[in-house]
Each structure stands twice: as C-alpha cells, then as structure tokens.
C-alpha cells in the first residue's frame, strides 16, 4: 500500500501539475529497495548508454549540456556541416512504464526469473491512495508505472526506455 503526498514543485501553486506526487512507504521497504537497486545496478551493462546523464552517479545536467555543446561545436569545425538536435522531455515518465515490457528487457539481460517475478509483482496491482492533510482518498489499484519516490524507480525507467534489443 502506498500513500501519495502531493508536494509543491514551485510556489505559488497555480494548478495540479505544480505538485509532485511523493510515495510514502514504510522504512523497512526503503531499506529493501536499496538492496534491490544495488542488484539491478549490477545487472546493467556498462555500455547501456554512455550519453545517459540522469540518475547516474557523478553526472549532472551540466555534464549533459557541456558534452552536447562539445560534440556539436567539434562537428561544426568541419566545413559545410550542420547539427540537428532533438530534446525530449519525458513528462510523467515514471507513470508510463509497462511492467510486462520491462520484465522482457530484464530477461534479455539474463536476470533471474524469480527476481523478474518479484519486480512484476511489485509493479502490478499496487494499492494507492492520496493524503492531503488528514483527508485520504479512496484506494486505486495501479498496474502501470513505478512509484515515484521508490529508490530503484530511476533504474527501472532507464531500463524501460533504453534497452531496445
């Protein structure tokens, strides 16, 4: 069971999109999530995507910008060349993970079947409600996405959107 607490992204809040849904889970689950994250990180091949900057240690938005500018400017040093760039914002990206597709990708990496089944069970049939002050919403069952605030959700997101083979 997950309780979502809407936390303002900015002030003043002018619409519902100005809130970030943060999932509150028990402390023991957070500890377990860290163990799972360590296990998933060990599964990831180092060549997954060298241009991935988000959710990677010692990488930042600044690194992404400077790397992109360096590659573009180096290319433009050649005569009669141009650069085209595409920037994508994965809005609500964690909500778009399809657990069955993610499990297929984990299987391609040679992940243990029991572990894959655990991840599938973790991501499907998740009861969730929203708490604002002392008021709780009714419970909804979710079977897509990954809980925002879950320690290993960023790794699931990366696997879901980048392993294409």
């Amino acid at each position: 069971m997950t309780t979502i607490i809407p936390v303002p992204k900015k002030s003043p809040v002018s619409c519902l999109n100005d809130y970030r849904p943060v999932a509150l889970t028990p402390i023991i689950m957070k500890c377990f999530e860290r163990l799972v994250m360590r296990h998933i990180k060990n599964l990831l091949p180092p060549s997954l995507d060298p241009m991935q900057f988000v959710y990677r240690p010692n990488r930042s938005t600044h690194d992404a910008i400077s790397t992109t500018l360096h590659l573009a400017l180096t290319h433009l040093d050649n005569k009669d060349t141009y650069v085209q760039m595409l920037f994508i914002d994965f809005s609500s990206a964690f909500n778009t993970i399809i657990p069955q597709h993610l499990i297929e990708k984990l299987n391609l990496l040679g992940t243990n079947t029991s572990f894959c089944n655990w991840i599938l069970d973790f991501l499907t049939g998740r009861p969730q409600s929203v708490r604002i002050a002392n008021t709780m919403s009714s419970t909804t069952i979710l079977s897509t996405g990954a809980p925002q605030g879950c320690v290993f959700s960023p790794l699931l997101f990366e696997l879901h959107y980048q392993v294409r083979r």
Side-chain angles (χ1 to χ4, degrees):
M1 174 69 179
T2 301
T3 302
I4 301 296
I5 305 294
V7 176
K9 294 180 192 176
K10 63 179 188 170
S11 188
V13 172
S14 60
C15 66
L16 290 177
N17 284 335
D18 289 343
Y19 288 97
R20 179 181 326 283
V22 175
L24 296 181
T25 53
I27 296 292
I28 190 73
M29 188 59 189
K30 287 291 183 199
C31 296
F32 189 64
E33 287 174 8
R34 289 191 190 285
L35 292 172
V36 172
M37 180 178 66
R38 202 172 301 139
H39 183 72
I40 293 173
K41 277 185 174 180
N42 289 333
L43 297 173
L44 297 177
S47 61
L48 190 60
D49 186 350
M51 298 303 286
Q52 171 73 20
F53 291 92
V54 68
Y55 308 124
R56 292 283 179 94
N58 304 316
R59 295 209 176 169
S60 68
T61 308
H62 297 288
D63 295 323
I65 292 168
S66 64
T67 300
T68 303
L69 283 174
H70 174 73
L71 289 171
L73 294 173
T74 301
H75 181 73
L76 290 173
D77 282 342
N78 300 317
K79 185 178 181 184
D80 297 327
T81 60
Y82 63 94
V83 173
Q84 292 180 336
M85 293 185 186
L86 173 66
F87 296 92
I88 300 172
D89 177 14
F90 285 100
S91 296
S92 302
F94 291 100
N95 300 336
T96 63
I97 293 174
I98 301 168
Q100 291 75 13
H101 294 172
L102 176 64
I103 296 308
E104 291 169 13
K105 293 173 183 184
L106 284 169
N107 281 326
L108 287 173
L109 291 172
T111 307
N112 177 294
T113 303
S114 297
F115 183 71
C116 287
N117 288 339
W118 184 88
I119 293 286
L120 187 61
D121 187 59
F122 178 79
L123 294 177
T124 56
R126 293 179 288 122
Q128 177 177 293
S129 59
V130 177
R131 185 179 82 202
I132 299 175
N134 293 328
T135 305
M136 290 288 282
S137 71
S138 58
T139 301
T140 300
I141 305 297
L142 301 174
S143 289
T144 59
Q148 188 158 357
C150 173
V151 171
F152 60 87
S153 287
L155 289 172
L156 298 178
F157 169 79
E158 182 175 347
L159 278 171
H160 188 265
Y161 283 101
Q162 293 193 6
V163 177
R164 300 280 183 211
R165 295 169 196 82

mmCIF file of all heavy atoms in Angstrom, residues 33-63:
data_model
loop_
_atom_site.group_PDB
_atom_site.id
_atom_site.type_symbol
_atom_site.label_atom_id
_atom_site.label_comp_id
_atom_site.label_asym_id
_atom_site.label_seq_id
_atom_site.Cartn_x
_atom_site.Cartn_y
_atom_site.Cartn_z
ATOM 1 N N GLU A 33 14.360 -1.635 -0.853
ATOM 2 C CA GLU A 33 14.510 -1.020 -2.174
ATOM 3 C C GLU A 33 15.975 -0.746 -2.486
ATOM 4 O O GLU A 33 16.422 -0.931 -3.623
ATOM 5 C CB GLU A 33 13.721 0.296 -2.246
ATOM 6 C CG GLU A 33 12.230 0.118 -2.324
ATOM 7 C CD GLU A 33 11.476 1.444 -2.244
ATOM 8 O OE1 GLU A 33 12.110 2.525 -2.284
ATOM 9 O OE2 GLU A 33 10.243 1.407 -2.147
ATOM 10 N N ARG A 34 16.735 -0.332 -1.496
ATOM 11 C CA ARG A 34 18.167 -0.075 -1.721
ATOM 12 C C ARG A 34 18.903 -1.364 -2.087
ATOM 13 O O ARG A 34 19.801 -1.354 -2.935
ATOM 14 C CB ARG A 34 18.795 0.583 -0.499
ATOM 15 C CG ARG A 34 18.335 2.009 -0.324
ATOM 16 C CD ARG A 34 19.150 2.752 0.727
ATOM 17 N NE ARG A 34 18.558 4.026 1.039
ATOM 18 C CZ ARG A 34 18.594 5.102 0.267
ATOM 19 N NH1 ARG A 34 19.186 5.039 -0.894
ATOM 20 N NH2 ARG A 34 18.022 6.224 0.640
ATOM 21 N N LEU A 35 18.541 -2.462 -1.463
ATOM 22 C CA LEU A 35 19.149 -3.754 -1.820
ATOM 23 C C LEU A 35 18.801 -4.140 -3.253
ATOM 24 O O LEU A 35 19.651 -4.614 -4.010
ATOM 25 C CB LEU A 35 18.681 -4.845 -0.848
ATOM 26 C CG LEU A 35 19.175 -4.739 0.584
ATOM 27 C CD1 LEU A 35 18.485 -5.774 1.464
ATOM 28 C CD2 LEU A 35 20.682 -4.892 0.640
ATOM 29 N N VAL A 36 17.536 -3.934 -3.616
ATOM 30 C CA VAL A 36 17.096 -4.246 -4.974
ATOM 31 C C VAL A 36 17.814 -3.353 -5.976
ATOM 32 O O VAL A 36 18.261 -3.818 -7.036
ATOM 33 C CB VAL A 36 15.555 -4.108 -5.103
ATOM 34 C CG1 VAL A 36 15.109 -4.225 -6.542
ATOM 35 C CG2 VAL A 36 14.867 -5.152 -4.232
ATOM 36 N N MET A 37 17.963 -2.074 -5.648
ATOM 37 C CA MET A 37 18.651 -1.144 -6.540
ATOM 38 C C MET A 37 20.087 -1.604 -6.774
ATOM 39 O O MET A 37 20.572 -1.606 -7.910
ATOM 40 C CB MET A 37 18.649 0.272 -5.971
ATOM 41 C CG MET A 37 19.353 1.267 -6.881
ATOM 42 S SD MET A 37 19.327 2.959 -6.278
ATOM 43 C CE MET A 37 20.312 2.852 -4.822
ATOM 44 N N ARG A 38 20.774 -2.003 -5.732
ATOM 45 C CA ARG A 38 22.149 -2.480 -5.870
ATOM 46 C C ARG A 38 22.202 -3.691 -6.801
ATOM 47 O O ARG A 38 23.083 -3.811 -7.642
ATOM 48 C CB ARG A 38 22.713 -2.818 -4.493
ATOM 49 C CG ARG A 38 24.219 -2.813 -4.446
ATOM 50 C CD ARG A 38 24.782 -2.947 -3.047
ATOM 51 N NE ARG A 38 24.332 -1.869 -2.183
ATOM 52 C CZ ARG A 38 23.957 -2.044 -0.917
ATOM 53 N NH1 ARG A 38 23.989 -3.233 -0.366
ATOM 54 N NH2 ARG A 38 23.549 -1.017 -0.199
ATOM 55 N N HIS A 39 21.230 -4.579 -6.653
ATOM 56 C CA HIS A 39 21.177 -5.772 -7.501
ATOM 57 C C HIS A 39 20.932 -5.389 -8.961
ATOM 58 O O HIS A 39 21.596 -5.913 -9.866
ATOM 59 C CB HIS A 39 20.078 -6.719 -7.000
ATOM 60 C CG HIS A 39 20.009 -7.993 -7.760
ATOM 61 N ND1 HIS A 39 20.965 -8.975 -7.649
ATOM 62 C CD2 HIS A 39 19.103 -8.434 -8.659
ATOM 63 C CE1 HIS A 39 20.647 -9.976 -8.454
ATOM 64 N NE2 HIS A 39 19.528 -9.675 -9.069
ATOM 65 N N ILE A 40 19.995 -4.477 -9.215
ATOM 66 C CA ILE A 40 19.699 -4.049 -10.588
ATOM 67 C C ILE A 40 20.917 -3.367 -11.203
ATOM 68 O O ILE A 40 21.256 -3.612 -12.359
ATOM 69 C CB ILE A 40 18.473 -3.112 -10.631
ATOM 70 C CG1 ILE A 40 17.205 -3.869 -10.236
ATOM 71 C CG2 ILE A 40 18.301 -2.519 -12.027
ATOM 72 C CD1 ILE A 40 15.986 -2.980 -10.082
ATOM 73 N N LYS A 41 21.598 -2.522 -10.428
ATOM 74 C CA LYS A 41 22.785 -1.836 -10.953
ATOM 75 C C LYS A 41 23.847 -2.835 -11.405
ATOM 76 O O LYS A 41 24.529 -2.610 -12.397
ATOM 77 C CB LYS A 41 23.377 -0.895 -9.901
ATOM 78 C CG LYS A 41 22.712 0.440 -9.825
ATOM 79 C CD LYS A 41 23.459 1.341 -8.848
ATOM 80 C CE LYS A 41 22.882 2.726 -8.874
ATOM 81 N NZ LYS A 41 23.584 3.626 -7.934
ATOM 82 N N ASN A 42 23.973 -3.936 -10.678
ATOM 83 C CA ASN A 42 24.945 -4.962 -11.064
ATOM 84 C C ASN A 42 24.565 -5.662 -12.366
ATOM 85 O O ASN A 42 25.416 -6.234 -13.032
ATOM 86 C CB ASN A 42 25.121 -5.988 -9.950
ATOM 87 C CG ASN A 42 25.851 -5.419 -8.752
ATOM 88 O OD1 ASN A 42 26.644 -4.491 -8.888
ATOM 89 N ND2 ASN A 42 25.569 -5.943 -7.583
ATOM 90 N N LEU A 43 23.285 -5.628 -12.719
ATOM 91 C CA LEU A 43 22.819 -6.261 -13.955
ATOM 92 C C LEU A 43 23.059 -5.401 -15.188
ATOM 93 O O LEU A 43 23.145 -5.910 -16.294
ATOM 94 C CB LEU A 43 21.313 -6.533 -13.873
ATOM 95 C CG LEU A 43 20.818 -7.491 -12.810
ATOM 96 C CD1 LEU A 43 19.294 -7.487 -12.788
ATOM 97 C CD2 LEU A 43 21.341 -8.883 -13.075
ATOM 98 N N LEU A 44 23.130 -4.082 -14.986
ATOM 99 C CA LEU A 44 23.222 -3.172 -16.120
ATOM 100 C C LEU A 44 24.575 -3.256 -16.799
ATOM 101 O O LEU A 44 25.608 -3.125 -16.138
ATOM 102 C CB LEU A 44 22.974 -1.730 -15.672
ATOM 103 C CG LEU A 44 21.602 -1.421 -15.105
ATOM 104 C CD1 LEU A 44 21.550 0.028 -14.642
ATOM 105 C CD2 LEU A 44 20.518 -1.688 -16.117
ATOM 106 N N PRO A 45 24.583 -3.468 -18.111
ATOM 107 C CA PRO A 45 25.863 -3.460 -18.809
ATOM 108 C C PRO A 45 26.420 -2.041 -18.830
ATOM 109 O O PRO A 45 25.663 -1.081 -18.940
ATOM 110 C CB PRO A 45 25.513 -3.947 -20.218
ATOM 111 C CG PRO A 45 24.056 -3.704 -20.375
ATOM 112 C CD PRO A 45 23.452 -3.743 -18.998
ATOM 113 N N PRO A 46 27.756 -1.894 -18.724
ATOM 114 C CA PRO A 46 28.329 -0.548 -18.703
ATOM 115 C C PRO A 46 28.098 0.204 -20.006
ATOM 116 O O PRO A 46 28.134 1.423 -20.037
ATOM 117 C CB PRO A 46 29.821 -0.793 -18.459
ATOM 118 C CG PRO A 46 30.045 -2.229 -18.730
ATOM 119 C CD PRO A 46 28.739 -2.937 -18.589
ATOM 120 N N SER A 47 27.819 -0.514 -21.074
ATOM 121 C CA SER A 47 27.616 0.125 -22.374
ATOM 122 C C SER A 47 26.151 0.447 -22.650
ATOM 123 O O SER A 47 25.800 0.736 -23.786
ATOM 124 C CB SER A 47 28.146 -0.791 -23.478
ATOM 125 O OG SER A 47 27.423 -2.014 -23.457
ATOM 126 N N LEU A 48 25.297 0.395 -21.634
ATOM 127 C CA LEU A 48 23.864 0.610 -21.858
ATOM 128 C C LEU A 48 23.610 1.893 -22.633
ATOM 129 O O LEU A 48 22.958 1.876 -23.654
ATOM 130 C CB LEU A 48 23.114 0.626 -20.531
ATOM 131 C CG LEU A 48 21.604 0.600 -20.636
ATOM 132 C CD1 LEU A 48 21.132 -0.654 -21.352
ATOM 133 C CD2 LEU A 48 20.977 0.664 -19.267
ATOM 134 N N ASP A 49 24.109 3.006 -22.182
ATOM 135 C CA ASP A 49 24.044 4.244 -22.950
ATOM 136 C C ASP A 49 25.021 5.236 -22.336
ATOM 137 O O ASP A 49 24.737 5.811 -21.300
ATOM 138 C CB ASP A 49 22.640 4.835 -22.966
ATOM 139 C CG ASP A 49 22.519 6.058 -23.876
ATOM 140 O OD1 ASP A 49 23.564 6.564 -24.341
ATOM 141 O OD2 ASP A 49 21.402 6.512 -24.115
ATOM 142 N N PRO A 50 26.164 5.445 -22.988
ATOM 143 C CA PRO A 50 27.152 6.353 -22.415
ATOM 144 C C PRO A 50 26.691 7.809 -22.376
ATOM 145 O O PRO A 50 27.264 8.615 -21.662
ATOM 146 C CB PRO A 50 28.363 6.195 -23.347
ATOM 147 C CG PRO A 50 27.809 5.644 -24.611
ATOM 148 C CD PRO A 50 26.587 4.856 -24.235
ATOM 149 N N MET A 51 25.641 8.139 -23.120
ATOM 150 C CA MET A 51 25.143 9.519 -23.130
ATOM 151 C C MET A 51 24.003 9.724 -22.138
ATOM 152 O O MET A 51 23.314 10.730 -22.167
ATOM 153 C CB MET A 51 24.689 9.905 -24.544
ATOM 154 C CG MET A 51 25.817 9.877 -25.563
ATOM 155 S SD MET A 51 27.195 10.937 -25.124
ATOM 156 C CE MET A 51 26.465 12.516 -25.471
ATOM 157 N N GLN A 52 23.788 8.766 -21.263
ATOM 158 C CA GLN A 52 22.769 8.888 -20.234
ATOM 159 C C GLN A 52 23.360 9.683 -19.072
ATOM 160 O O GLN A 52 24.389 9.298 -18.523
ATOM 161 C CB GLN A 52 22.333 7.500 -19.760
ATOM 162 C CG GLN A 52 21.439 7.488 -18.553
ATOM 163 C CD GLN A 52 20.038 7.958 -18.845
ATOM 164 O OE1 GLN A 52 19.606 7.956 -19.984
ATOM 165 N NE2 GLN A 52 19.317 8.346 -17.830
ATOM 166 N N PHE A 53 22.744 10.774 -18.699
ATOM 167 C CA PHE A 53 23.278 11.604 -17.619
ATOM 168 C C PHE A 53 22.387 11.594 -16.386
ATOM 169 O O PHE A 53 22.871 11.762 -15.278
ATOM 170 C CB PHE A 53 23.476 13.044 -18.103
ATOM 171 C CG PHE A 53 24.596 13.154 -19.103
ATOM 172 C CD1 PHE A 53 24.345 13.048 -20.454
ATOM 173 C CD2 PHE A 53 25.897 13.329 -18.679
ATOM 174 C CE1 PHE A 53 25.376 13.129 -21.376
ATOM 175 C CE2 PHE A 53 26.940 13.411 -19.587
ATOM 176 C CZ PHE A 53 26.675 13.307 -20.940
ATOM 177 N N VAL A 54 21.112 11.426 -16.565
ATOM 178 C CA VAL A 54 20.204 11.459 -15.427
ATOM 179 C C VAL A 54 20.269 10.123 -14.679
ATOM 180 O O VAL A 54 20.464 9.070 -15.275
ATOM 181 C CB VAL A 54 18.761 11.786 -15.899
ATOM 182 C CG1 VAL A 54 18.176 10.663 -16.708
ATOM 183 C CG2 VAL A 54 17.868 12.154 -14.739
ATOM 184 N N TYR A 55 20.169 10.190 -13.368
ATOM 185 C CA TYR A 55 20.181 9.026 -12.480
ATOM 186 C C TYR A 55 21.479 8.238 -12.545
ATOM 187 O O TYR A 55 21.495 7.038 -12.317
ATOM 188 C CB TYR A 55 18.999 8.091 -12.770
ATOM 189 C CG TYR A 55 17.679 8.796 -12.766
ATOM 190 C CD1 TYR A 55 16.839 8.739 -13.868
ATOM 191 C CD2 TYR A 55 17.270 9.539 -11.672
ATOM 192 C CE1 TYR A 55 15.633 9.393 -13.880
ATOM 193 C CE2 TYR A 55 16.058 10.201 -11.681
ATOM 194 C CZ TYR A 55 15.248 10.118 -12.783
ATOM 195 O OH TYR A 55 14.059 10.771 -12.793
ATOM 196 N N ARG A 56 22.567 8.891 -12.893
ATOM 197 C CA ARG A 56 23.868 8.244 -12.902
ATOM 198 C C ARG A 56 24.765 8.953 -11.906
ATOM 199 O O ARG A 56 24.737 10.185 -11.807
ATOM 200 C CB ARG A 56 24.511 8.319 -14.291
ATOM 201 C CG ARG A 56 23.828 7.503 -15.362
ATOM 202 C CD ARG A 56 24.184 6.030 -15.203
ATOM 203 N NE ARG A 56 23.541 5.214 -16.185
ATOM 204 C CZ ARG A 56 24.081 4.853 -17.343
ATOM 205 N NH1 ARG A 56 25.266 5.276 -17.690
ATOM 206 N NH2 ARG A 56 23.417 4.071 -18.152
ATOM 207 N N PRO A 57 25.609 8.202 -11.188
ATOM 208 C CA PRO A 57 26.496 8.862 -10.232
ATOM 209 C C PRO A 57 27.502 9.761 -10.942
ATOM 210 O O PRO A 57 27.979 9.439 -12.033
ATOM 211 C CB PRO A 57 27.200 7.688 -9.528
ATOM 212 C CG PRO A 57 27.011 6.513 -10.422
ATOM 213 C CD PRO A 57 25.763 6.761 -11.208
ATOM 214 N N ASN A 58 27.796 10.864 -10.327
ATOM 215 C CA ASN A 58 28.779 11.833 -10.830
ATOM 216 C C ASN A 58 28.432 12.405 -12.198
ATOM 217 O O ASN A 58 29.309 12.763 -12.975
ATOM 218 C CB ASN A 58 30.185 11.220 -10.855
ATOM 219 C CG ASN A 58 30.594 10.713 -9.495
ATOM 220 O OD1 ASN A 58 30.389 11.387 -8.487
ATOM 221 N ND2 ASN A 58 31.131 9.520 -9.456
ATOM 222 N N ARG A 59 27.159 12.463 -12.528
ATOM 223 C CA ARG A 59 26.710 13.079 -13.775
ATOM 224 C C ARG A 59 25.590 14.046 -13.446
ATOM 225 O O ARG A 59 24.818 13.838 -12.513
ATOM 226 C CB ARG A 59 26.203 12.026 -14.759
ATOM 227 C CG ARG A 59 27.311 11.091 -15.200
ATOM 228 C CD ARG A 59 27.037 10.603 -16.550
ATOM 229 N NE ARG A 59 28.136 9.773 -17.028
ATOM 230 C CZ ARG A 59 28.038 9.066 -18.111
ATOM 231 N NH1 ARG A 59 26.931 9.070 -18.810
ATOM 232 N NH2 ARG A 59 29.053 8.354 -18.518
ATOM 233 N N SER A 60 25.517 15.109 -14.264
ATOM 234 C CA SER A 60 24.514 16.123 -13.976
ATOM 235 C C SER A 60 24.010 16.738 -15.273
ATOM 236 O O SER A 60 24.501 16.419 -16.361
ATOM 237 C CB SER A 60 25.120 17.224 -13.098
ATOM 238 O OG SER A 60 26.095 17.942 -13.853
ATOM 239 N N THR A 61 23.063 17.641 -15.137
ATOM 240 C CA THR A 61 22.560 18.393 -16.283
ATOM 241 C C THR A 61 23.684 19.187 -16.927
ATOM 242 O O THR A 61 23.769 19.282 -18.149
ATOM 243 C CB THR A 61 21.441 19.348 -15.826
ATOM 244 O OG1 THR A 61 20.488 18.598 -15.086
ATOM 245 C CG2 THR A 61 20.769 20.012 -16.998
ATOM 246 N N HIS A 62 24.571 19.725 -16.112
ATOM 247 C CA HIS A 62 25.710 20.491 -16.638
ATOM 248 C C HIS A 62 26.600 19.614 -17.520
ATOM 249 O O HIS A 62 27.085 20.057 -18.559
ATOM 250 C CB HIS A 62 26.529 21.110 -15.502
ATOM 251 C CG HIS A 62 25.764 22.093 -14.695
ATOM 252 N ND1 HIS A 62 25.420 23.343 -15.163
ATOM 253 C CD2 HIS A 62 25.245 22.003 -13.450
ATOM 254 C CE1 HIS A 62 24.727 23.986 -14.241
ATOM 255 N NE2 HIS A 62 24.602 23.195 -13.186
ATOM 256 N N ASP A 63 26.811 18.363 -17.093
ATOM 257 C CA ASP A 63 27.602 17.431 -17.905
ATOM 258 C C ASP A 63 26.932 17.183 -19.247
ATOM 259 O O ASP A 63 27.588 17.132 -20.287
ATOM 260 C CB ASP A 63 27.788 16.097 -17.179
ATOM 261 C CG ASP A 63 28.604 16.234 -15.909
ATOM 262 O OD1 ASP A 63 29.553 17.038 -15.900
ATOM 263 O OD2 ASP A 63 28.279 15.533 -14.936
#
